Amino acid sequence: MYKMFGFGHVILCYYILGYIWCSSSAWQVTMPRNIKGLLGSCLVIPCSYNYDQYPPKRPDRVVWYQYVSRGYPIVYDNWNRNDVLDIFKGRTDVYTSSHHRTCSLLIDPVTLADHSQKLYPWVDPENVGRGTYRFFDTTVTLEVVGTADPPVIEIFGNTVIGQSVTVQCSVYHTCPTYPPSLRLNIPLRNERLTHSPLSDGRSKTMLTTTLFIEKEYQTVECYVRHHGGRSASASKTLTSQCPISKLTVSSASDEFLEGDQSTVTCTVSYTCYRNIPTLTWNYGNMPASSDTSKLSGGAQWRTVSTLTFTASANDNGRSLICYARFPGGQTKEASVTLRVKRNILNLGWSFTAPATITGLKGSCLIIPCKFSYKNSQPNDLQVMWYLYQKNEYPAVFNQGGSVISKFDGRTSLIGSVVEQNCSLKIERLEMSHNRHRLYPWIDKKSITSYGTIDHTFYDGSTELVVSEHAPEPQLSIIGILRVGEQGTVSCSVRHTCFSAPPTLTLKDLPGIDQNMDTLVSEGIWERKIVRTWTVEEEHQSVSCAVNYPAGQSAEKSIPLNAECSISPLNISSTSDQTQEVNISMRVKTSPEKPVMTPVPEEVDAGSTITVSCSVTHTCSSHPPVFSWSVSHLTSEVSHIMMSRGTWQTTSTITFIVTEGDGVRNLTCNAIFWRNREQAHTVSLNVKGSLMYRFKCSAPVAFSVSFRALIIITLPAVFAVFIWRKRKHTDESLKPPPRPEQRRSLWDRLSRQSFWSRFSRRQDRTANISVAYTKNSSNVTCGAESKPRCPSPKDNRRRPSPFNPENQLFGNF
């Protein structure tokens, strides 16, 4: 403590923890006595003041001075910046606050000239004089260093591989305005950066993070960089412990089945790879394999030994032990107690049953089952049936015992156990039974006293398939149905309830029925009805209905498509010519050829012929359809009933013989039901094609020339008439001409024109008509009642009439 006197006031100064604290009875100033600054960085000198009396008028006005024996050199003065010392000019600033009463000084950047400088503040120097408080008695001495201090690394927590610790990196400085930056060489997890002022005028910047230890040896490095570019670093090496986890032995099941291979594993985890253990078993005669791997997402390793263990009946109650020996000599062991059950496959008996069986809701169903023993069959055997479920044995049939509710009162055995029959009958099937799997048990001991493999009973079980709807019956025709002959149709359906079979009914046909029941396979029966009757054309279809005792029914229908017998085909013909020739043809059967009625041996081109083609048949619903090889003008089809069950169909056509001398064919084709065809062809000798063409060409040529003459002559006559009329008017005063000169131009033309020639032979004028035959591109022409013939315009497209290969009737 120092005691000072001035202007009637006593001033006391204390030096506490590096700070000078001076006070009078009214004022006090607090700041560090010495402070260190990093070259190139900034420096903040913390300063605060307080007073009880004589408050400043301007509490925010603070001036810093350099301490000298005489005078007041200015380090910072906001009012008189030009008066600031050159070594401090532009590098100083003050942090003031009237509320917090601060007077801190900022120097940025710190230079070597700042070293050993002694400074002090003055609050409101214009109003607070030295008589109130001697500010120059409280000074701070600056120390400039050129090297940054290294950061400090601290680690909190247990350094064990696989666990997390807290890492802190901190640095002390005197530049809180621009604090340094910190960086670690480890991954940052939950990191935090803090800045804290200290009581000695320094500040502390600290980076905190979490480190997950994955290695036995690991180095943590921290880097600091100060304002102005100065940097430093520090490191710390972690040596972590390597823990070893507990050894465990596990298997897929707590029980082992006699003679069945099971997989047993021994597992140990550790954190250091150098601690890889050697794993062994007390059953050294059984195969085992080991595997070591690193666990993902952590710092642990794991070694697993897999033992393929086959239990025997004598192993029950023994221990299965796994041993682990580590490189450092440490050992661990783990064990399990063996529970071995006898295998059902070693019972000495087996059974056979279908894999699946289908039944109808409300009906009954029988699951056929047979069993056998390898050795002698024990006496007093009892058969039980179970519903397949893993690790459970619900009974569906138990003589004198309880069963599950859905099968209660519905199941019974069919056959004799002595005869090795284990068939099960289920009454009144429900949809809740659908997809259930059932299996038998044929042994004196309970099923729970034996061990089973999961799929043992599943593979031998029978799946129930229950349907709500009755299946359609199978309806078929035996042989080929022919009208008037005996026909046979059968209807059948398969079922699983021999005691209450379905009922079959054939409809739409009269006849005699035969019923039969047959065992198709184990548990499947077939009921069939066969009907025989006389086929008639009116019998178009047949239906079969099936009805079950539970009320379900189904029906199916098929068409009969009975065949009809066919009679020979007859063809008759007439011609418009005076000469007729009769041609006889023999008819063959199966299939019969049509018979053509007499037609002329020779016909003239352009003549008209009418032909009829008839056939006798027995199918009025499907009469034959006719087609001809010639385009015809008219066509007519008629049907006549000859007698009961016999009809005659006739096709009559009229056609024109086209030009082309030579032999031509005429064919009639009858198409019966089911596309059975019969055809017959006759030959005609065509003549007179040249004369037919001349008759058709001459009138047409004359008509064309006459029309052209009229078109040319009429305009000339009209012009002469007009000219003569005008001339007569102009020459009315002239004397009349001589008689020989009075003939008009019309008289002269009329004597020498074609008109005079034609006027003398008016009886040769013909009425010309042109027509097209039906279904043909040929043009026919004729004079009054004469036969029509093709136009001469078509001659250039027609073949030569002298070519005997040309067809007379178009495309026959």
Side-chain angles (χ1 to χ4, degrees):
M1 178 181 69
Y2 301 91
K3 183 181 290 186
M4 299 181 183
F5 301 92
F7 299 99
H9 297 281
V10 178
I11 301 175
L12 298 178
C13 294
Y14 301 90
Y15 179 72
I16 303 175
L17 298 177
Y19 270 72
I20 295 178
W21 184 76
C22 295
S23 66
S24 66
S25 58
W27 276 75
Q28 60 185 15
V29 176
T30 304
M31 67 178 181
R33 184 177 181 181
N34 296 285
I35 193 166
K36 184 185 296 185
L38 182 62
L39 183 65
S41 183
C42 73
L43 172 63
V44 175
I45 303 173
C47 174
S48 63
Y49 65 91
N50 201 358
Y51 52 87
D52 295 330
Q53 296 178 359
Y54 311 113
K57 293 183 179 180
R58 297 183 181 87
D60 291 339
R61 172 155 173 75
V62 177
V63 179
W64 277 78
Y65 298 94
Q66 183 185 41
Y67 182 83
V68 293
S69 58
R70 291 181 178 275
Y72 300 92
I74 298 176
V75 174
Y76 172 80
D77 186 353
N78 190 35
W79 288 7
N80 303 291
R81 294 180 182 273
N82 294 330
D83 296 335
V84 176
L85 293 172
D86 291 340
I87 60 173
F88 292 104
K89 189 174 292 185
R91 295 192 299 119
T92 56
D93 200 359
V94 170
Y95 296 112
T96 62
S97 172
S98 60
H99 177 70
H100 296 289
R101 299 178 181 179
T102 60
C103 51
S104 300
L105 175 67
L106 169 65
I107 301 175
D108 184 22
V110 175
T111 65
L112 291 176
D114 300 329
H115 185 66
S116 298
Q117 291 287 345
K118 205 172 183 180
L119 310 178
Y120 64 92
W122 198 309
V123 179
D124 193 9
E126 288 78 16
N127 299 295
V128 180
R130 57 186 296 176
T132 302
Y133 180 74
R134 292 168 59 90
F135 286 94
F136 45 78
D137 290 337
T138 306
T139 61
V140 59
T141 301
L142 307 184
E143 180 185 358
V144 178
V145 296
T147 304
D149 293 334
V152 179
I153 299 176
E154 296 178 286
I155 297 176
F156 305 91
N158 296 325
T159 55
V160 178
I161 295 179
Q163 297 185 12
S164 297
V165 294
T166 300
V167 177
Q168 289 183 347
C169 177
S170 58
V171 64
Y172 299 91
H173 59 93
T174 55
C175 185
T177 305
Y178 304 103
S181 61
L182 293 174
R183 178 173 58 87
L184 288 168
N185 68 328
I186 59 176
L188 299 182
R189 299 170 61 184
N190 305 319
E191 68 275 7
R192 302 187 310 276
L193 184 64
T194 60
H195 306 280
S196 305
L198 302 179
S199 60
D200 60 356
R202 297 181 300 170
S203 295
K204 181 180 180 180
T205 297
M206 182 171 61
L207 175 63
T208 304
T209 186
T210 300
L211 171 64
F212 182 78
I213 302 177
E214 299 182 3
K215 302 176 183 178
E216 187 176 0
Y217 302 100
Q218 189 170 1
T219 300
V220 177
E221 296 179 351
C222 182
Y223 304 90
V224 60
R225 182 180 179 85
H226 293 270
H227 176 64
R230 303 282 176 171
S231 61
S233 64
S235 64
K236 189 171 186 178
T237 301
L238 300 180
T239 301
S240 304
Q241 301 177 7
C242 299
I244 299 174
S245 67
K246 183 181 177 180
L247 199 65
T248 58
V249 176
S250 61
S251 62
S253 174
D254 294 336
E255 294 181 343
F256 296 88
L257 190 62
E258 175 194 5
D260 182 50
Q261 289 186 347
S262 301
T263 299
V264 185
T265 59
C266 178
T267 305
V268 60
S269 299
Y270 43 92
T271 56
C272 294
Y273 181 74
R274 60 180 175 83
N275 289 338
I276 296 178
T278 302
L279 302 180
T280 57
W281 299 86
N282 63 329
Y283 280 78
N285 59 334
M286 295 187 182
S289 61
S290 295
D291 178 69
T292 299
S293 60
K294 185 177 181 180
L295 300 180
S296 60
Q300 287 203 353
W301 295 81
R302 181 175 63 187
T303 298
V304 179
S305 177
T306 304
L307 175 69
T308 302
F309 181 72
T310 304
S312 65
N314 298 328
D315 291 328
N316 187 46
R318 293 182 178 178
S319 295
L320 179 61
I321 306 173
C322 174
Y323 304 97
R325 181 176 293 275
F326 295 89
Q330 184 181 2
T331 61
K332 286 179 178 290
E333 69 177 53
S335 64
V336 294
T337 301
L338 298 174
R339 296 173 55 192
V340 181
K341 299 189 75 172
R342 296 294 303 275
N343 195 336
I344 192 173
L345 299 179
N346 298 329
L347 293 175
W349 59 269
S350 61
F351 69 91
T352 58
T356 181
I357 191 166
T358 303
L360 189 64
K361 177 184 176 182
S363 183
C364 71
L365 178 146
I366 297 176
I367 303 176
C369 176
K370 290 287 186 179
F371 70 92
S372 62
Y373 268 81
K374 292 182 180 179
N375 301 320
S376 60
Q377 179 175 325
N379 297 324
D380 302 328
L381 279 177
Q382 290 186 353
V383 176
M384 295 183 63
W385 280 80
Y386 292 94
L387 173 65
Y388 174 79
Q389 288 184 0
K390 286 186 177 181
N391 303 322
E392 294 183 13
Y393 307 97
V396 298
F397 172 77
N398 184 6
Q399 189 70 37
S402 61
V403 298
I404 58 178
S405 59
K406 64 173 61 178
F407 286 96
D408 189 15
R410 300 173 186 264
T411 55
S412 61
L413 288 182
I414 300 297
S416 172
V417 177
V418 178
E419 297 176 355
Q420 299 182 334
N421 191 335
C422 52
S423 299
L424 178 70
K425 182 179 181 180
I426 306 174
E427 301 281 356
R428 306 183 308 279
L429 284 172
E430 296 292 340
M431 292 307 299
S432 60
H433 300 147
N434 188 42
R435 299 301 178 185
H436 280 346
R437 303 191 75 94
L438 310 181
Y439 61 91
W441 177 256
I442 310 159
D443 200 282
K444 284 189 172 183
K445 295 182 180 180
S446 170
I447 190 173
T448 57
S449 63
Y450 290 88
T452 62
I453 307 174
D454 287 342
H455 59 81
T456 300
F457 289 121
Y458 183 87
D459 292 344
S461 62
T462 299
E463 183 182 21
L464 303 180
V465 179
V466 183
S467 174
E468 283 189 283
H469 307 288
E472 283 189 350
Q474 298 296 318
L475 190 59
S476 60
I477 298 172
I478 301 174
I480 300 176
L481 299 182
R482 292 184 177 88
V483 176
E485 299 180 2
Q486 291 291 308
T488 304
V489 63
S490 69
C491 179
S492 62
V493 67
R494 294 187 177 184
H495 61 96
T496 58
C497 190
F498 182 75
S499 59
T503 303
L504 290 174
T505 304
L506 280 170
K507 302 178 181 179
D508 304 330
L509 293 178
I512 301 173
D513 293 340
Q514 180 183 2
N515 297 307
M516 57 189 73
D517 291 289
T518 307
L519 179 63
V520 178
S521 59
E522 291 293 336
I524 305 297
W525 287 266
E526 183 181 70
R527 166 153 285 202
K528 180 185 289 186
I529 180 173
V530 179
R531 175 168 295 180
T532 304
W533 87 105
T534 302
V535 181
E536 297 183 4
E537 189 176 357
E538 289 76 12
H539 298 158
Q540 299 296 320
S541 62
V542 62
S543 300
C544 181
V546 58
N547 295 277
Y548 289 84
Q552 298 95 332
S553 62
E555 186 170 338
K556 186 176 182 180
S557 300
I558 60 173
L560 294 178
N561 297 329
E563 295 185 352
C564 300
S565 58
I566 304 172
S567 298
L569 193 67
N570 300 318
I571 300 179
S572 62
S573 171
T574 61
S575 174
D576 62 343
Q577 296 186 194
T578 57
Q579 185 178 5
E580 295 185 0
V581 180
N582 295 328
I583 300 178
S584 300
M585 303 188 70
R586 295 182 179 181
V587 180
K588 295 182 179 181
T589 59
S590 299
E592 300 100 350
K593 287 186 177 181
V595 178
M596 181 106 40
T597 55
V599 294
E601 291 184 355
E602 292 185 355
V603 293
D604 291 335
S607 61
T608 302
I609 297 178
T610 300
V611 180
S612 297
C613 183
S614 62
V615 65
T616 302
H617 58 93
T618 58
C619 285
S620 62
S621 60
H622 301 84
V625 179
F626 292 92
S627 64
W628 294 84
S629 62
V630 62
S631 300
H632 42 270
L633 298 176
T634 62
S635 176
E636 181 181 356
V637 178
S638 61
H639 305 278
I640 301 175
M641 183 176 180
M642 306 298 293
S643 61
R644 180 176 176 83
T646 304
W647 289 266
Q648 184 183 65
T649 300
T650 302
S651 174
T652 302
I653 66 169
T654 300
F655 67 96
I656 297 176
V657 180
T658 59
E659 60 179 285
D661 293 349
V663 178
R664 299 291 179 265
N665 293 331
L666 175 63
T667 301
C668 172
N669 190 39
I671 304 173
F672 296 88
W673 189 35
R674 294 185 177 178
N675 295 323
R676 295 184 60 186
E677 297 186 14
Q678 300 183 34
H680 189 73
T681 302
V682 297
S683 299
L684 300 178
N685 188 12
V686 180
K687 63 178 182 177
S689 296
L690 183 61
M691 182 59 68
Y692 174 63
R693 178 179 296 181
F694 176 76
K695 290 180 179 180
C696 292
S697 300
V700 173
F702 168 76
S703 176
V704 172
S705 301
F706 180 74
R707 291 176 183 176
L709 179 61
I710 294 299
I711 292 173
I712 296 173
T713 304
L714 284 179
V717 172
F718 181 74
V720 171
F721 175 75
I722 296 299
W723 178 76
R724 291 286 298 174
K725 186 174 182 180
R726 291 178 179 178
K727 185 177 181 181
H728 177 71
T729 304
D730 297 337
E731 296 179 359
S732 58
L733 300 176
K734 292 182 180 181
R738 290 182 299 178
E740 63 274 8
Q741 295 179 348
R742 294 178 181 175
R743 286 186 301 173
S744 64
L745 180 59
W746 174 259
D747 293 336
R748 298 174 185 177
L749 290 174
S750 62
R751 294 182 179 181
Q752 299 177 0
S753 63
F754 289 103
W755 176 260
S756 301
R757 298 180 183 180
F758 283 111
S759 63
R760 300 190 187 102
R761 300 180 61 183
Q762 293 181 359
D763 56 323
R764 297 182 61 182
T765 302
N767 294 326
I768 307 301
S769 64
V770 179
Y772 291 86
T773 60
K774 183 178 182 182
N775 299 328
S776 175
S777 60
N778 296 333
V779 181
T780 59
C781 63
E784 295 181 351
S785 63
K786 289 186 179 181
R788 284 177 280 184
C789 58
S791 170
K793 296 180 181 180
D794 293 335
N795 290 342
R796 59 173 176 263
R797 294 192 300 267
R798 288 180 175 275
S800 172
F802 301 101
N803 188 348
E805 297 298 325
N806 295 333
Q807 294 186 359
L808 177 61
F809 308 110
N811 297 326
F812 277 27

